[in-house]
Amino acid sequence: MDHEPGEKYPPIEPYDHGMLDVGEGNLVYWEVCGNPDGKPALVVHGGPGSGCGAWARQYFDPDRYRVVLFDQRGCGRSTPHASDPAADMRYNTTDRLIADMERLRVRLGIDTWLLYGGSWGSTLILAYAEEHPDRVSEIVIPAVTTTRRSEIDWLYRGAGQIFPEAWDLFRAGVPEAEDRPTPDVLAAYARRMESPDPEVRARATADWCAWEDAVLSHETYTGPPPYSGRPGRAQQALVRICSHYFSNGAWLEEGQLIRNAGRLAGIPGVLVHGRFDLGGPLITAWELAKAWPDAELTVIDGAGHLGGAATSRAVLEALDRFASR
């Protein structure tokens, strides 16, 4: 395909899709696009609970990649949807998402695949790759996170030093957790998202999204606000899943993904991180790059969590380079 380096590829549609039964009553939506004989790549979306977006397909050369996208449990087109209070969140955990990815790989007959994704997606990518390093060919991550409790504490408390007005409102949304540590505040939001009262869930969703948007308010983006601009059902699923995961430290031992980064030896990685990412400060990407011998870190001056043109170019260049590897 004729293509200008550093430019996104034209929109494409899936040539195959389906629902994967992963047990415990959950069905995970998946789709495949690009070249059926191309290099396999898996897109791992963020959130947790954002769902996969069609925009992610445009980072891959459709002539050279077989691109797989999926909606993690409880969001997007997967069922049961977390916006439904009847959906049981006990079956939505990090280890189950890793197992779902493995089931999908086997279902699609893929031996090894490149992993791409940022923010929460990078946490899930690293957790999967450290458990199944023999199934990963390369990794490309914009906006590195490892969901350490220290990172969660920064996002849901520490960043309040920069946005005190917004943090006071976020904190006031759960007055029952007054003067409690960050995990208790997040657990209070998680409990509200389990309420049978739709007004309680709607209020908690609005308060959570307002805080997330505040942390991104210094960044340049087009369209509606990244969190509160989502459709209501998608918003509620996102907040319910986020509060569930973050109040439990994503069921990861503190620091385990960086501590175990030696398991990634031999897997080429490209990390792209904005210097002014207030949602996930650069220190995490820096520490990961030092611990992972085959990773290269590109710092984008002036960029934040959402990235921008320079971030996109760095990701596209990495994916184009790995396409022929």
Side-chain angles (χ1 to χ4, degrees):
M1 172 180 286
D2 291 332
H3 177 253
E4 197 69 31
E7 293 294 321
K8 292 180 184 175
Y9 290 89
I12 53 173
E13 293 299 319
Y15 66 79
D16 195 11
H17 69 276
M19 300 292 284
L20 180 68
D21 187 341
V22 295
E24 299 166 330
N26 280 269
L27 296 175
V28 166
Y29 171 83
W30 59 268
E31 64 184 35
V32 190
C33 52
N35 181 352
D37 298 317
K39 179 187 181 77
L42 179 69
V43 175
V44 184
H45 68 69
S50 289
C52 65
W55 58 268
R57 305 169 189 159
Q58 293 182 253
Y59 280 100
F60 297 86
D61 183 341
D63 293 335
R64 296 195 289 168
Y65 274 106
R66 177 188 179 193
V67 187
V68 181
L69 300 92
F70 75 109
D71 290 325
Q72 294 160 32
R73 292 190 184 204
C75 68
R77 288 148 288 188
S78 294
T79 62
H81 201 263
S83 62
D84 179 357
D88 194 337
M89 296 300 289
R90 289 179 301 171
Y91 303 126
N92 201 329
T93 58
T94 302
D95 61 336
R96 286 176 169 87
L97 299 187
I98 293 170
D100 295 349
M101 292 162 68
E102 263 299 270
R103 285 193 186 94
L104 181 57
R105 183 190 62 76
V106 172
R107 164 67 178 78
L108 296 177
I110 292 169
D111 183 47
T112 62
W113 47 11
L114 176 148
L115 303 180
Y116 163 75
S119 197
W120 159 257
S122 64
T123 293
L124 186 52
I125 282 170
L126 294 167
Y128 173 91
E130 289 180 7
E131 192 165 320
H132 302 284
D134 56 328
R135 297 304 180 187
V136 181
S137 56
E138 302 90 8
I139 293 173
V140 178
I141 295 174
V144 179
T145 72
T146 65
T147 315
R148 290 177 288 188
R149 286 158 184 81
S150 59
E151 295 170 50
I152 296 168
D153 184 64
W154 164 259
L155 178 55
Y156 295 104
R157 187 189 61 82
Q161 297 174 67
I162 302 169
F163 304 104
E165 314 96 321
W167 192 80
D168 273 0
L169 292 174
F170 176 67
R171 190 64 196 71
V174 284
E176 67 273 24
E178 190 173 358
D179 298 326
R180 303 287 292 175
T182 307
D184 292 357
V185 173
L186 302 185
Y189 270 100
R191 285 192 296 272
R192 287 185 173 233
M193 294 307 298
E194 297 298 318
S195 172
D197 186 339
E199 290 186 10
V200 171
R201 297 197 306 274
R203 182 71 259 163
T205 298
D207 288 343
W208 184 285
C209 289
W211 167 249
E212 296 274 15
D213 283 339
V215 176
L216 300 175
S217 61
H218 68 295
E219 299 193 29
T220 301
Y221 55 84
T222 57
Y227 283 82
S228 56
R230 297 168 189 254
R233 187 166 172 265
Q235 261 190 67
Q236 288 212 0
L238 176 67
V239 174
R240 190 177 180 204
I241 295 170
C242 279
S243 58
H244 172 62
Y245 271 74
F246 296 154
S247 60
N248 285 288
W251 300 275
L252 297 169
E253 293 177 14
E254 182 68 354
Q256 80 171 64
L257 297 182
I258 293 176
R259 185 170 62 250
N260 295 336
R263 297 179 184 177
L264 306 176
I267 301 173
V270 172
L271 312 176
V272 183
H273 206 93
R275 188 173 298 282
F276 299 112
D277 184 341
L278 296 184
L282 176 59
I283 186 64
T284 296
W286 181 260
E287 291 173 350
L288 177 63
K290 288 201 295 183
W292 176 4
D294 298 282
E296 55 186 79
L297 171 63
T298 298
V299 178
I300 308 294
D301 286 318
H305 195 69
L306 300 175
T311 300
S312 292
R313 280 195 299 274
V315 168
L316 284 156
E317 287 166 5
L319 291 172
D320 283 346
R321 170 159 48 102
F322 287 150
S324 55
R325 182 175 176 271

